[in-house]
Amino acid sequence: MSSLLILNGPNLNLLGSREPETYGKTTLSEIEEQARAHASGRGATAHCQQSNHEGALIDMIHAARGVHDGLIVNAGAYTHTSIALRDAIAGVGLPCVEVHLTNIHARERFRRHSYLAPVVLGQIAGFGPQGYVLAIDALLAHLGTAR
Ligand code: CA2
C-alpha cells in the first residue's frame, strides 16, 4: 500500500476563513479529509501536515524518507522564494507533485516562478481543492509505473 505525505505551507491553515474570492470556502481540514478518503479509495494512505515555518517543512520532508512513498506539496508563498525547500525535495529523492489551489501563472508576476518546479514530477495549479485529488492520482500512477 502506497503511503503519501501531503504537505501544506504558510497561511494555508487560514483557508475557508479569509479571501474566499481567491482561495474558496473549503477549509484545510476538509481538503485533508477529502484527500485521505480519496487515497483510501485508491488503496493508499494519505498523511497530512501543515506548517507556517520553512524549517519545519524541511524537517517534515526529511522525515518522509523511508516512511512515505511520495510527496504532494503546496508550499504556499515559499514556492516562490525557497531554494531550501527545493533542495530538501531534491535531496530526499521522493517523487513529488506540486499543487496550487489557484492558477499561479494567471496571477501576479512574482507567483509565476516556482523554485520547486524543476525538482517535482509536475505541477497542478488552478483546480482548487480538487488539485489534491488530481495529485494523488498522478502520484499513484507514477508509483505504479515506477515499481
Ligand atoms: O494557489 C496556491 O495554492 C498558493 O500556493 C497559495 C499561497 C500563495 O502564496 C501561492 O502563490 C499560491 C497562499 C496561501 C494563502 O492562503 C490563504 C488562505 C486564506 C486566507 C489568506 C491566505
Side-chain angles (χ1 to χ4, degrees), residues 59-117:
D59 287 343
M60 290 169 186
I61 292 167
H62 290 177
R65 201 175 183 181
V67 175
H68 300 292
D69 301 297
L71 305 172
I72 293 169
V73 175
N74 183 348
Y78 288 143
T79 303
H80 320 296
T81 64
S82 181
I83 298 169
L85 264 180
R86 171 205 179 117
D87 287 348
I89 292 168
V92 296
L94 288 168
C96 179
V97 176
E98 177 181 350
V99 171
H100 298 286
L101 294 159
T102 60
N103 180 356
I104 56 173
H105 304 285
R107 298 183 64 192
E108 302 97 323
R109 183 170 286 277
F110 65 84
R111 295 189 202 276
R112 292 185 202 158
H113 176 261
S114 164
Y115 276 107
L116 312 187

